[in-house]
Amino acid sequence: MPAEASRTSLAQTALDAYLRAEGADRRGESGVPTCEIVDLVTDLLLLAQQRGSDPHSVVRKAEKHVLAETS
């Protein structure tokens, strides 16, 4: 699906930029590397909250979009 490939390519670009901005030191718990996508999503949800959006609502909307775009 070309549209999905284009969207995931854009997401990969965002993740790459996030990792570059974060630096070489990866956060981790008990020596276990963290999941970079979870870190990015968490930080985006914190940003949404700072801008006045409800993070739970953002997640629900995103889930609906994923389901609609992959059905």
Side-chain angles (χ1 to χ4, degrees):
M1 175 181 290
E4 186 176 331
S6 173
R7 300 281 299 273
T8 57
S9 176
L10 181 58
Q12 184 64 57
T13 299
L15 182 59
D16 291 344
Y18 176 79
L19 293 173
R20 277 192 305 276
E22 185 181 49
D25 295 331
R26 295 293 302 138
R27 297 183 303 263
E29 296 178 16
S30 304
V32 177
T34 58
C35 176
E36 295 89 358
I37 293 174
V38 171
D39 289 348
L40 175 57
V41 170
T42 300
D43 289 351
L44 287 170
L45 291 172
L46 290 170
L47 177 62
Q49 186 174 38
Q50 284 180 348
R51 293 183 173 190
S53 294
D54 172 39
H56 296 286
S57 176
V58 171
V59 169
R60 284 191 303 273
K61 287 178 186 177
E63 183 178 32
K64 287 180 184 179
H65 285 247
V66 168
L67 291 173
E69 293 178 19
T70 58
S71 297

